[in-house]
Amino acid sequence: MRRLFYFRLALSNVRRSKITYLPYLVATAVMSGVFLLIAGLLFSKGMTNTPNGGTAQALFAFGLVVFALFTVLFMLYINNFLIKRRKKEFGLYGILGLDKRHVGRVLVWENLFVIGGGVVCGIVIALVFGRLLFLLLMKLIHVVPGSSFVISFNAYALMLGLFLLVFLITTISNVIRVHTANPIALLSSEKRGEKDKKALVPLAVLGALLLGGAYYYAWTTEIPGIALGIFFPLAIVVILATFLLFLCGSIVVLKLLRMKKSLYYQPDHFVTISGMFHRMRQNARGLATICILSTMLVVTVSGTLSLYLGREEMTRGMYPFDAQVYVPESATEQQIINYDAVLNRLAAQNNVTLRADRSKLITKLPEGEEFRRNNFVWDESVFVDVPTLIFYDGSFRFDVSGTEEDCLVFIQAIRDHYSESFSETPNLIASDIFTTRVQGYGFYGGLLFLGAFFAVLFLAVAVLILYFKQVTEGYEDKERFNILQQVGMDDEQVKRTINSQVLWVFFLPLAATALHMLFASKIIAQMLRSFMLYDWGLVSLCIGGTLLAFTLLYFGIYRTTARTYYRIVRR
Amino acid sequence: MSLLQVKGLGKVYNTKLGMRQCVALKNVSFEVIEGEFVAIMGASGSGKTTLLNILASLDKPTTGDVLLDGTSFAAIPDRELSEFRRKHLGFVFQDFNLLDTFTLKDNILLPLVLMQTPLKEMENRVFPIARQLGISQLLNKYPYEVSGGEKQRAAIARAVITDPRILLADEPTGALDSKSSASLLNQFADLHAIGKTILMVTHSAMAASYASRVLFISDGVLFSQLYRGEDANKAFFDRIVANLSILGGGDIA
Ligand SMILES: Nc1ncnc2c1ncn2[C@@H]1O[C@H](COP(=O)(O)OP(=O)(O)OP(=O)(O)O)[C@@H](O)[C@H]1O
Ligand SMILES: [Mg+2]
């Protein structure tokens, strides 16, 4: 009976304070939906089965961990904001005689409703939206045939676990907050300024040093191959530094600006700088999160895009010659010479021509040129002279020209007729660019698909954060600008300072993202080498292009959310 | 010549929902001469805030006009209104309206900064005023770190730092206890003594008894007025209370 009472009170509270709870519900739904989709992708069979999928999986798993961390932080941030608004109500309960234990119980129920409801909505979003997105992207990018959209049980378990954690943390912190405060403090705590952390300057300096160090390291160090062991720690350092700089560095810079009186006491600067203090104290976390999310987005998209666009070059890199046909070790020189003619005959039957261009062979690496797979240095001692093709190190090498289909049929013909020439080893070992191309395109298409999927999800979260920030700031700023107008600030000035503050807040994360990308570009290029992609130009172009596209998109988001803000402020 | 002339002010609010119109002021006329301390009293909803907002050029009357030093408010283009406000008018609000993002000092300097006053001049002005109002020690604190009375004194400092022609106050003691109210009113009296013109809306007869004249508003109409004459505060207070009881409203305290 009594328990039912709290349950009812909580339910009616949630219904009544729709305006405060709705953003929380929406946030829970979006975050849980997005998390579920990412986890679902990670555990999907398609991901584990693709060649080289392990590396991609490790990268995406890292993304998932970072994202989980953000989810927790973001949910705490929203909860914090919400509870601040409701403290007054709790104080009132206390004065009306509901004791703290009971208030606590009501809170537990309320939180359960909202997070529970949000997660259910999230699952629905993931299933509906996820499928639509999947189909859409399938149309745009050619993926390995037979891919389907299924979210595995593990993904559900992981998501539910994460949100259970969020529920526990928020509930406990809310209950503690209600318990430790007396009603008077609760009643008056709605409007209170925020104090700065003590170790502001050292933390800001630490952030700058970490970031500088990470940049320097990323720019100067040659990493061998994929080197996830280097990339992950570096990424963590950059994330940490970003947070430190947004949280503490920004305040320190503003303090320095404020100390410079001739600058500070200018009409526009005066209002802008003090307004920025307020904004950075309130939103630094959200902005840093946006910066990290967008950096991850640009890294993922530009990386997968580079691979997709560079797939021909990569395949070419692995195959200096179109095809390579091995000859059993036991084969005699005569057998090898005869086989040269066999290959030519098969080619003629399949409407393709064979070419073996000896000038492609480099016996000595030119001065100053890097080693790459496709300027392989050939050792002259292991050649065998054959009439038309090249025989090197146990296998025939040659280029094939003809239609793609004929080439594939020709390769198949070699396989079919192999045992006629070498009966003692009937299983042919051959590798060719045509087969690899067909497989590889599917794989890189799949990666790009994953990248695009991630991008959309990250973007959804970024939009959510931005929108949330705009709305909450709008209400606060409305009051501040009212006062400014009463004190004699004219409309033009108000508009100008609003604009400059909003612009700063919006483009700070974008600028930081661009800077991160500049320094990350080299490491990304190096990592892509382990996929045989050596084209610096292409990688830079992809990074630049993605950044540009993201900037445009971000600007679009900014315009739409800023409209909400202005509507609130200038009413 | 009068400093402020109020001629036949009327204000009608059109409520958004429904067609109902709300008449907040009807044909209000009065004059204020330089150096006067005028209190405006009236029941809740009688139109005091509406009147003050119009005098502050924050709102426009439906009919009538306000003249300051012979300049008609209606003749000032919208663009120049905020500059006019900045230069000639100072306000004190019931709920202080200080900005949490500024220290008290910066809050006080705000109008001067907007007027692009040189740094040195600003410093020269802020300290004497702060001393006079007893908040010199608090200048580097933020509004949320000081008491209500201290906030209101900072708000007064902000209002007078531009040396306005007239100081407008809407229930400046509304959020204060009786002790801080008294000290605040003494500050107003001091400002009055050095020749400032003050117009103050109040609910309390106590506060009104500091003024040199009290206007009574009822249902948007100027009902009556009392001059202090040679009375001391106490005697004036008794007359105000007596007048209020005829009107039937207002607090005695
Ligand atoms: N923006 C508005 N829209 C519509 N009606 C309004 C508006 N502002 C005030 N009113 C109405 O005008 C009348 C006068 O309001 P005003 O705020 O001037 O009263 P007041 O004398 O200041 O009252 P109080 O002592 O309670 O502050 C009231 O009936 C009020 O409902
Ligand atoms: Mg009022």
Side-chain angles (χ1 to χ4, degrees), chain A residues 337-352:
Chain A
I337 291 168
N338 288 344
Y339 195 58
D340 183 79
V342 174
L343 285 173
N344 275 311
R345 183 167 47 82
L346 284 173
Q349 283 170 1
N350 289 289
N351 308 319
V352 295

Side-chain angles (χ1 to χ4, degrees), chain A residues 258 264-265 274 486 488 490, chain B residues 82 86 91 97 102 106 142:
Chain A
R258 196 166 60 178
Y264 178 53
Y265 287 106
S274 69
Q486 285 168 345
D490 60 45
Chain B
S82 44
R86 211 155 58 202
F91 315 94
N97 278 4
F102 287 117
D106 287 347
Y142 283 87

Side-chain angles (χ1 to χ4, degrees), chain A residues 57-120:
Chain A
Q57 203 171 20
L59 281 169
F60 282 108
F62 180 70
L64 187 70
V65 171
V66 174
F67 190 74
L69 219 67
F70 281 147
T71 306
V72 174
L73 282 178
F74 183 60
M75 294 306 296
L76 284 179
Y77 165 71
I78 294 191
N79 176 66
N80 202 17
F81 169 81
L82 191 99
I83 218 72
K84 253 195 216 153
R85 278 196 166 181
R86 298 198 59 209
K87 270 188 175 173
K88 201 165 199 160
E89 188 184 331
F90 299 144
L92 214 59
Y93 281 143
I95 284 168
L96 293 177
L98 203 63
D99 92 43
K100 281 175 182 171
R101 225 153 20 108
H102 299 154
V103 175
R105 237 172 264 177
V106 174
L107 270 183
V108 173
W109 278 113
E110 283 187 30
N111 210 9
L112 191 64
F113 289 144
V114 177
I115 292 190
V119 165
V120 171

Side-chain angles (χ1 to χ4, degrees), chain B residues 116-232:
Chain B
Q116 293 183 294
T117 317
L119 253 175
K120 206 150 170 75
E121 163 97 24
M122 291 203 278
E123 306 262 322
N124 287 343
R125 282 212 220 170
V126 73
F127 293 113
I129 289 179
R131 200 166 328 112
Q132 195 192 345
L133 291 163
I135 48 171
S136 304
Q137 307 302 316
L138 306 172
L139 283 180
N140 286 321
K141 295 205 167 191
Y142 283 87
Y144 48 84
E145 295 171 319
V146 302
S147 77
E150 289 159 349
K151 268 188 255 195
Q152 196 59 300
R153 276 183 270 164
I156 295 175
R158 181 181 65 188
V160 298
I161 198 163
T162 53
D163 200 13
R165 298 290 285 146
I166 189 161
L167 184 66
L168 302 163
D170 190 359
E171 295 185 42
T173 58
L176 303 181
D177 62 31
S178 56
K179 192 160 160 263
S180 355
S181 293
S183 97
L184 191 97
L185 289 163
N186 279 320
Q187 251 123 31
F188 270 74
D190 290 347
L191 289 170
H192 177 217
I194 59 169
K196 290 263 177 256
T197 313
I198 304 172
L199 208 79
M200 171 179 77
V201 163
T202 181
H203 269 264
S204 120
M206 186 64 196
S209 69
Y210 281 77
S212 55
R213 177 162 58 126
V214 183
L215 301 176
F216 294 90
I217 293 193
S218 170
D219 289 329
V221 184
L222 195 58
F223 187 79
S224 61
Q225 53 177 319
L226 283 180
Y227 279 92
R228 173 196 285 270
E230 296 303 311
D231 283 355

Side-chain angles (χ1 to χ4, degrees), chain A residues 236-312:
Chain A
I236 289 169
V237 169
V238 171
I239 291 174
L240 195 71
T242 306
F243 269 86
L244 284 175
L245 284 178
F246 270 87
L247 281 165
C248 306
S250 63
I251 303 286
V252 170
V253 170
L254 286 169
K255 282 204 162 151
L256 288 176
L257 286 177
R258 196 166 60 178
M259 257 150 42
K260 197 165 160 39
K261 288 193 172 173
S262 55
L263 180 96
Y264 178 53
Y265 287 106
Q266 296 286 316
D268 286 358
H269 299 163
F270 191 57
V271 178
T272 307
I273 292 176
S274 69
M276 286 302 291
F277 260 107
H278 185 66
R279 274 164 212 263
M280 290 316 290
R281 284 193 186 122
Q282 293 243 301
N283 296 312
R285 244 188 297 177
L287 294 179
T289 306
I290 290 179
C291 171
I292 299 298
L293 281 181
S294 16
T295 309
M296 283 167 78
L297 185 150
V298 177
V299 168
T300 319
V301 172
S302 60
T304 50
L305 191 66
S306 301
L307 288 176
Y308 186 72
L309 295 179
R311 59 191 193 256
E312 176 57 29

